[in-house]
Amino acid sequence: MSIQSNLDIIKSGLPEHVTLVAVSKTKPVSDLMQAYEAGQRIFGENKIQEMTDKWEEMPKDIQWHMIGHVQSNKVKFMAPYVNLIHGVDSLKLLQEINKQALKNNRTIDCLLQIYIAEEESKFGLDESELNELLTSAEFKELKNIRILGLMGMATFTENKNQIKKEFTHLKSIFDSIKNSDGYGKDSLQRFSTISMGMSGDYQLAITAGSTMVRIGSSIFGGR
Ligand SMILES: *Cc1c(COP(=O)(O)O)cnc(C)c1O
Protein backbone atom coordinates (compact mmCIF):
# COMPACT_ATOMS: atom_id res chain seq x y z
CA MET A 1 0.00 0.00 0.00
CA SER A 2 1.22 3.47 -0.83
CA ILE A 3 1.49 6.32 1.66
CA GLN A 4 -1.19 8.14 -0.30
CA SER A 5 -3.69 5.28 -0.09
CA ASN A 6 -2.94 4.69 3.61
CA LEU A 7 -3.66 8.36 4.22
CA ASP A 8 -6.85 8.28 2.17
CA ILE A 9 -8.19 5.30 4.09
CA ILE A 10 -7.41 6.80 7.49
CA LYS A 11 -8.75 10.23 6.64
CA SER A 12 -11.99 8.84 5.26
CA GLY A 13 -12.61 7.18 8.62
CA LEU A 14 -11.97 10.26 10.76
CA PRO A 15 -14.85 12.43 11.98
CA GLU A 16 -14.60 16.03 10.84
CA HIS A 17 -13.69 17.38 14.28
CA VAL A 18 -10.63 15.12 14.56
CA THR A 19 -7.28 16.47 13.34
CA LEU A 20 -4.75 14.05 11.88
CA VAL A 21 -1.10 14.45 12.82
CA ALA A 22 1.01 12.32 10.48
CA VAL A 23 3.83 10.99 12.66
CA SER A 24 6.87 10.91 10.41
CA LYS A 25 9.70 10.31 12.91
CA THR A 26 12.62 8.31 11.49
CA LYS A 27 11.13 8.50 7.96
CA PRO A 28 13.00 10.17 5.09
CA VAL A 29 11.86 13.45 3.55
CA SER A 30 10.87 11.59 0.38
CA ASP A 31 8.22 9.72 2.38
CA LEU A 32 6.97 12.91 3.99
CA MET A 33 6.76 14.53 0.57
CA GLN A 34 4.47 11.75 -0.62
CA ALA A 35 2.13 12.57 2.24
CA TYR A 36 2.51 16.27 1.50
CA GLU A 37 1.59 15.75 -2.11
CA ALA A 38 -1.47 13.82 -0.97
CA GLY A 39 -2.53 16.95 0.92
CA GLN A 40 -1.19 16.30 4.42
CA ARG A 41 0.07 19.47 6.11
CA ILE A 42 0.50 18.47 9.76
CA PHE A 43 3.50 16.33 10.66
CA GLY A 44 4.60 15.05 14.06
CA GLU A 45 8.19 14.38 15.07
CA ASN A 46 9.70 13.31 18.38
CA LYS A 47 13.26 14.65 18.06
CA ILE A 48 13.93 18.35 17.77
CA GLN A 49 17.04 18.01 15.61
CA GLU A 50 15.33 15.73 13.12
CA MET A 51 12.25 17.95 12.96
CA THR A 52 14.39 21.03 12.38
CA ASP A 53 16.29 19.37 9.54
CA LYS A 54 13.00 18.41 7.89
CA TRP A 55 11.52 21.86 8.47
CA GLU A 56 14.51 23.43 6.70
CA GLU A 57 14.20 21.11 3.75
CA MET A 58 10.46 20.99 3.23
CA PRO A 59 7.71 23.40 2.08
CA LYS A 60 6.95 26.17 4.53
CA ASP A 61 3.19 25.65 4.73
CA ILE A 62 3.70 22.54 6.86
CA GLN A 63 2.69 22.65 10.52
CA TRP A 64 5.27 20.89 12.67
CA HIS A 65 4.13 19.25 15.90
CA MET A 66 6.63 18.12 18.52
CA ILE A 67 5.13 14.97 20.02
CA GLY A 68 8.12 13.64 21.94
CA HIS A 69 9.62 14.40 25.30
CA VAL A 70 11.25 17.85 25.21
CA GLN A 71 14.48 18.82 26.92
CA SER A 72 14.53 22.45 28.00
CA ASN A 73 17.92 23.17 26.48
CA LYS A 74 16.67 22.25 22.99
CA VAL A 75 13.50 24.35 22.91
CA LYS A 76 15.39 27.21 21.25
CA PHE A 77 15.98 25.18 18.09
CA MET A 78 12.27 24.73 17.35
CA ALA A 79 10.97 27.98 18.83
CA PRO A 80 11.12 29.88 15.51
CA TYR A 81 8.71 27.57 13.73
CA VAL A 82 7.08 24.84 15.85
CA ASN A 83 3.31 24.86 15.60
CA LEU A 84 2.26 22.77 18.60
CA ILE A 85 4.23 21.09 21.41
CA HIS A 86 2.28 18.07 22.68
CA GLY A 87 4.44 16.77 25.49
CA VAL A 88 4.74 19.61 28.00
CA ASP A 89 4.85 18.21 31.50
CA SER A 90 6.45 20.77 33.78
CA LEU A 91 6.29 24.45 34.69
CA LYS A 92 10.03 24.70 34.10
CA LEU A 93 9.64 23.54 30.50
CA LEU A 94 6.71 25.87 29.98
CA GLN A 95 8.79 28.77 31.27
CA GLU A 96 11.57 27.94 28.81
CA ILE A 97 9.08 27.68 25.92
CA ASN A 98 7.66 31.06 26.95
CA LYS A 99 11.12 32.58 27.05
CA GLN A 100 12.08 31.28 23.62
CA ALA A 101 8.70 32.27 22.17
CA LEU A 102 9.23 35.80 23.45
CA LYS A 103 12.68 35.91 21.84
CA ASN A 104 11.10 34.94 18.54
CA ASN A 105 8.29 37.39 19.00
CA ARG A 106 5.62 34.71 18.88
CA THR A 107 3.16 32.77 20.96
CA ILE A 108 3.72 29.02 21.05
CA ASP A 109 0.81 26.63 21.41
CA CYS A 110 1.22 23.75 23.85
CA LEU A 111 -0.62 20.72 25.17
CA LEU A 112 -0.01 19.46 28.67
CA GLN A 113 0.87 15.79 28.77
CA ILE A 114 -1.12 13.83 31.32
CA TYR A 115 0.00 10.54 32.74
CA ILE A 116 -2.81 8.05 32.11
CA ALA A 117 -1.00 4.76 31.50
CA GLU A 118 -0.16 2.05 33.98
CA GLU A 119 3.40 1.80 32.70
CA GLU A 120 6.09 3.39 34.80
CA SER A 121 8.06 4.79 31.90
CA LYS A 122 5.58 7.24 30.43
CA PHE A 123 6.03 10.97 30.98
CA GLY A 124 3.33 13.31 32.11
CA LEU A 125 1.56 15.11 34.92
CA ASP A 126 -0.99 13.55 37.21
CA GLU A 127 -4.21 15.36 37.94
CA SER A 128 -3.02 17.13 41.08
CA GLU A 129 0.23 18.27 39.43
CA LEU A 130 -1.84 19.60 36.54
CA ASN A 131 -4.02 21.52 38.96
CA GLU A 132 -1.04 22.91 40.76
CA LEU A 133 0.55 24.05 37.52
CA LEU A 134 -2.57 25.72 36.15
CA THR A 135 -3.28 27.60 39.35
CA SER A 136 0.28 28.74 40.07
CA ALA A 137 1.24 32.40 39.99
CA GLU A 138 4.23 31.56 37.77
CA PHE A 139 1.96 30.02 35.15
CA LYS A 140 -0.24 33.11 35.00
CA GLU A 141 2.80 35.23 34.15
CA LEU A 142 3.53 33.33 30.95
CA LYS A 143 2.16 35.48 28.15
CA ASN A 144 3.84 33.88 25.14
CA ILE A 145 2.40 30.41 25.44
CA ARG A 146 -1.13 29.14 25.00
CA ILE A 147 -2.44 25.89 26.42
CA LEU A 148 -4.68 24.40 23.74
CA GLY A 149 -5.50 21.23 25.63
CA LEU A 150 -4.18 17.92 26.88
CA MET A 151 -2.24 14.98 25.47
CA GLY A 152 -1.94 11.42 26.70
CA MET A 153 -0.72 7.96 25.79
CA ALA A 154 -2.49 4.79 26.82
CA THR A 155 -0.74 1.70 28.10
CA PHE A 156 0.73 -0.48 25.34
CA THR A 157 -1.59 -3.45 25.75
CA GLU A 158 -4.05 -5.63 23.86
CA ASN A 159 -6.62 -5.01 26.57
CA LYS A 160 -9.15 -2.69 24.95
CA ASN A 161 -11.05 -2.07 28.15
CA GLN A 162 -7.89 -0.85 29.79
CA ILE A 163 -7.09 1.50 26.90
CA LYS A 164 -10.64 2.77 26.82
CA LYS A 165 -10.58 3.41 30.56
CA GLU A 166 -7.35 5.42 30.25
CA PHE A 167 -8.64 7.54 27.36
CA THR A 168 -11.91 8.13 29.18
CA HIS A 169 -9.91 9.26 32.19
CA LEU A 170 -8.06 11.84 30.09
CA LYS A 171 -11.34 13.07 28.63
CA SER A 172 -12.79 13.50 32.12
CA ILE A 173 -9.76 15.52 33.27
CA PHE A 174 -10.13 17.66 30.15
CA ASP A 175 -13.83 18.23 30.84
CA SER A 176 -13.26 19.16 34.44
CA ILE A 177 -10.78 21.87 33.42
CA LYS A 178 -12.93 23.06 30.56
CA ASN A 179 -15.99 23.37 32.78
CA SER A 180 -14.28 24.87 35.81
CA ASP A 181 -14.18 28.53 36.74
CA GLY A 182 -11.18 27.99 38.94
CA TYR A 183 -8.52 28.72 36.34
CA GLY A 184 -7.56 32.08 34.91
CA LYS A 185 -9.73 32.17 31.82
CA ASP A 186 -7.20 34.05 29.71
CA SER A 187 -4.59 31.36 29.51
CA LEU A 188 -7.14 28.67 28.73
CA GLN A 189 -9.28 30.58 26.25
CA ARG A 190 -8.53 28.18 23.46
CA PHE A 191 -8.57 25.02 25.55
CA SER A 192 -10.25 22.60 23.13
CA THR A 193 -7.82 19.85 22.07
CA ILE A 194 -7.47 16.30 23.34
CA SER A 195 -4.50 14.65 21.63
CA MET A 196 -4.88 10.92 22.09
CA GLY A 197 -4.78 7.89 19.82
CA MET A 198 -2.04 6.29 17.70
CA SER A 199 -2.10 3.67 14.92
CA GLY A 200 -3.19 0.85 17.20
CA ASP A 201 -5.76 2.63 19.31
CA TYR A 202 -7.02 5.75 17.56
CA GLN A 203 -10.53 4.43 16.98
CA LEU A 204 -10.92 3.78 20.70
CA ALA A 205 -9.50 7.23 21.38
CA ILE A 206 -12.01 8.91 19.09
CA THR A 207 -14.87 7.07 20.75
CA ALA A 208 -13.56 8.37 24.07
CA GLY A 209 -13.47 11.99 22.85
CA SER A 210 -10.15 12.55 21.07
CA THR A 211 -9.95 15.59 18.81
CA MET A 212 -6.41 14.95 17.53
CA VAL A 213 -4.86 11.62 16.60
CA ARG A 214 -1.14 10.98 16.10
CA ILE A 215 -0.70 8.26 13.50
CA GLY A 216 2.64 7.00 12.20
CA SER A 217 3.08 3.39 11.20
CA SER A 218 -0.39 3.03 9.63
CA ILE A 219 0.56 5.80 7.20
CA PHE A 220 4.29 5.36 6.65
CA GLY A 221 4.77 1.69 7.54
CA GLY A 222 6.71 0.20 10.42
CA ARG A 223 9.82 1.82 11.84
C1 LIG B 1 5.58 7.36 17.55
C2 LIG B 1 4.47 8.08 18.23
C3 LIG B 1 3.15 8.04 17.73
C4 LIG B 1 2.74 7.25 16.51
O1 LIG B 1 2.81 5.89 16.75
P1 LIG B 1 2.28 4.81 15.67
O2 LIG B 1 1.99 3.62 16.49
O3 LIG B 1 3.38 4.62 14.70
O4 LIG B 1 1.05 5.38 15.03
C5 LIG B 1 2.18 8.77 18.40
N1 LIG B 1 2.48 9.49 19.50
C6 LIG B 1 3.71 9.54 20.00
C7 LIG B 1 3.97 10.37 21.22
C8 LIG B 1 4.75 8.84 19.40
O5 LIG B 1 5.99 8.92 19.91
Side-chain angles (χ1 to χ4, degrees), residues 23 25 46 67 151 153 198-200 214-218 223:
V23 175
K25 63 192 186 195
N46 72 340
I67 61 167
M151 179 268 211
M153 286 171 86
M198 328 202 318
S199 290
R214 310 175 309 268
I215 300 180
S217 45
S218 293
R223 287 178 297 271

Side-chain angles (χ1 to χ4, degrees), residues 100-118:
Q100 296 300 333
L102 188 60
K103 272 193 189 167
N104 285 276
N105 203 13
R106 34 183 326 237
T107 300
I108 295 182
D109 290 334
C110 299
L111 303 176
L112 295 172
Q113 183 168 356
I114 308 302
Y115 178 87
I116 53 171
E118 270 193 347

